[in-house]
Amino acid sequence: MSVVMGHYDEAMVQGLPPEVREGLYSSNSYFMTIDTNENRDYLKRMAALKDVDGIWPHGNGVLTNFGEGTYLCVRAYADAVNRAGNMETTDILSALRTISIKGPQGSVKMDPYTQHAAVNGFLAKCNADGQFDIIKGFGLERPIIPDRYRQLHNDNLTEKDDQVIEVQQPFDVDSFENIVKSQKAHDGPGLLFSTAFNFVDVGLVAINAASKIVQVNLVAEQMFGYQPEEILGKPISILIPPRYRSGHGNHIMSFIKSDSNHVLMGQRGEISGYSKDGREIPIEASITTFQSGGETYYTAMLREVTKYKRIEKELKWQASHDSLTGLPNRKIFMERLEKALERTSTTGKDIAVLFIDLDNFKMVNDSYGHVVGDQLLVLMGEKLLAVVGSGNIVARFGGDEFVVLCEKIKNEKTTTKLAMSINEKLREPIEIEGIKMFPSCSIGVAVGCSGDTSSKHLLSNADAAMYQAKEHGRDKWLPFNAEIYKRSRERLDVANGLRMAIEKDEFSCVFQPIVDTNSHKMVGMEILLRWTPESGPVSPAIFIPVAEMTGSIYSIGSWVFEQACKAQVRLTEAFGYQNCPYVSVNVSSRQLETESFFKDICRTYNDIGANSNGIIIEVTETALMADVDINIRVLKALGMAGFKVAIDDFGTGYSSLSLLTKLPLSLLKVDREFVKNLELSDQEKSVAKAVIGLAHSLGLKTVAEGVETEGQRAILSDLNATYCQGYFFSKPAPLENIINQYGNQTF
Ligand code: C2E
Ligand code: MG
Ligand code: MG
């Protein structure tokens, strides 16, 4: 016997030769060309269509139910999802059991056993002429048979015929209830399951109305570790952990007494089984009733979920922990912080959050690679755990940020002591892969209780205090206080203000000449951004770091670069192509990191018609070292496009000399720190001399920044500083002022 699964109907068999289609059995939930008003109407309309010469089998017009089936399935599924309210498989399946869809053949219900539409299922056999004989009808609704079939099978299946069609569920591997139900138990309980049931991968345990085990299959034997003779006749509770016995026992009894014939055990069908050696086994269980030899039996279907449970546990852990250090992540930390805050309302005691950020971690990563960086983070996590002790929570928020929650605060000194010992512990020199390191961290501490703060505030306060600790020189801790609050509020105001600053036309640019140390002739100028919101001017030293932090720097940086290009065009006009001073523009590391940076600036200078040779990109030494690989790539590309590159604030960062030789650099701008005290001592002079000498040995010209006096200029001249920039020559001013001031210079 060949059974055709899937869609197989009159239309399809037309394409098969008679000898092939004859004898094929087809199992359909629906039958095509069902005789309903809708279908009749549709057939009538189809017969009237052009090129349709009649309705099959007397013509080429064919009506199938394929679309209808699809419609019903999709609708049923969508309704089930709505009813379940979530996407959990078990919940959707439960909901499906209660779904009823209105289709052309009437209301269609879902069969709880097969989870298929329970309407007009047929088993039909194809004849050589391409017509089908209906062998059997099954399903919950009596089938409505098309006329031509009614005539053929009038004896068995007529519309008025009330004879009970033998209910036989289609085989479905997931519906074990079905398997059991469809078995005929001829010889009493001993043969309830056929040997085939020893090959299914689900445990089957049959019990009688007295809850005594009457049969088990092989899987169930192995699952629980019993030989059949050890459990046959025993109460089913033997397979349930002692502490759940009364609960499950009641559940089974209420099922036995009820009218229902199938039920899931436990929440979502999950319960604990109990093996012979006392192990608890998580299992999915459902119980089904069936009749055999005039007796009612109940079959528990059991599927081990150990593997799934383990995976579920693993996934849960991954979602709540940092995989590198194994510490709780932000999500779980916030949950615990929330709970700890709640507890303070009953204990009346404050809790503390310590925000910890490693100092110069990026440098470790960049200099020694991520493997070493990762090891450092793991080690720091371990040290933190050791120093905070049990009862406190240490979490990693990502990057080099760790957070500690301390609930055991006796008095003010507790947090002071804790913060100090963390600073101390993390300051211990360490060695990773033979590299000696001297790490340190900055810590912000915030304390509070449920009435006066929230988890979010506590965390952001600790973060703000940590930020301040960094600003105050790192390797220290600071408690959150009113001053820090003020500063963080200001930062927030700045961040909000910057968002609309371009649209509100609040930015402007000033230019500061860069001159030859000896001749005082202007060789270039630096474009410096100014922000003047309604509340008054804000220094770039304040707003640039905030813009970098919030990402506003991308749009701001593009705007400044555009102004630089326009200035370059204007300078060419004023000084001529040959003598045109260059425009030096500051670029932040956040800008360099963006994929589109290079493309964007090339487009801008092309659009404006500026000369890339007349533009110098200034990158601070610290920014340069932030992500060496990316920066080298971008700076090289800039060099190829004709731009020159200068290192700004040189001497304040930690450049590697070998790196400097690899970059297409033109200028080193010696930080103001080295210029400021030049006149005060010989020692200062020798430091400046070393920095300038270093630049020359790399073949680079130097710009000394912040030159304020003739004395400084004279010393810088002795030290061979190529160029100077500072108030001594000119303060930053609008472009036209500078052009007027230097317009007559000759080169
Ligand atoms: P910078 O790039 O080192 O710019 C030089 C700073 O030193 C300017 O401060 C300038 O006004 C100041 N200065 C110049 N000569 C003297 C002097 O003789 N004495 C003193 N005390 N200061 C002098 P400004 O304009 O406040 O800018 C501060 C920093 O803000 C800049 O330092 C730069 O890092 C950043 N910045 C300014 N404009 C931009 C910009 O458009 N983009 C980016 N990313 N950063 C910018
Ligand atoms: Mg600069
Ligand atoms: Mg500078």
Side-chain angles (χ1 to χ4, degrees), residues 206-212 214 252-253 256-257 295-298:
I207 57 170
N208 59 20
S211 286
K212 295 273 165 54
V214 291
I252 293 169
M253 282 322 287
I256 288 176
K257 284 183 196 146
E295 293 280 326
T296 303
Y297 292 96
Y298 306 88

Side-chain angles (χ1 to χ4, degrees), residues 621 650-651 655 657 660 668 687-700 702:
E621 193 183 12
F650 186 74
S655 303
L657 289 183
L660 292 181
L668 266 186
V687 175
K689 188 177 175 183
V691 176
I692 293 167
L694 175 67
H696 289 157
S697 68
L698 291 168
L700 301 173
T702 47

Side-chain angles (χ1 to χ4, degrees), residues 526 586 618 620 648-650 669-672 705 725:
E526 180 171 5
N586 294 288
E618 284 191 21
T620 64
D648 202 358
D649 305 344
F650 186 74
K669 297 189 77 174
V670 180
D671 194 71
R672 196 162 69 87
E705 297 187 287
Q725 176 182 353

Side-chain angles (χ1 to χ4, degrees), residues 371-393:
V371 177
V372 173
D374 283 357
Q375 286 186 50
L376 177 66
L377 290 172
V378 172
L379 205 67
M380 292 295 130
E382 285 168 3
K383 280 175 178 255
L384 275 173
L385 276 176
V387 72
V388 304
S390 61
N392 297 321
I393 294 171

Side-chain angles (χ1 to χ4, degrees), residues 138-180:
F138 39 86
L140 301 184
E141 289 191 9
R142 201 153 47 80
I144 304 160
I145 309 298
D147 276 334
R148 61 178 183 280
Y149 290 108
R150 204 177 292 151
Q151 278 144 25
L152 284 169
H153 302 280
N154 218 10
D155 28 0
N156 296 339
L157 299 156
T158 64
E159 208 168 340
K160 289 190 194 74
D161 192 350
D162 273 332
Q163 94 177 65
V164 177
I165 297 161
E166 192 181 354
V167 173
Q168 197 168 343
Q169 302 299 330
F171 182 83
D172 181 327
V173 280
D174 285 330
S175 303
F176 302 104
E177 301 94 314
N178 230 3
I179 303 171
V180 178

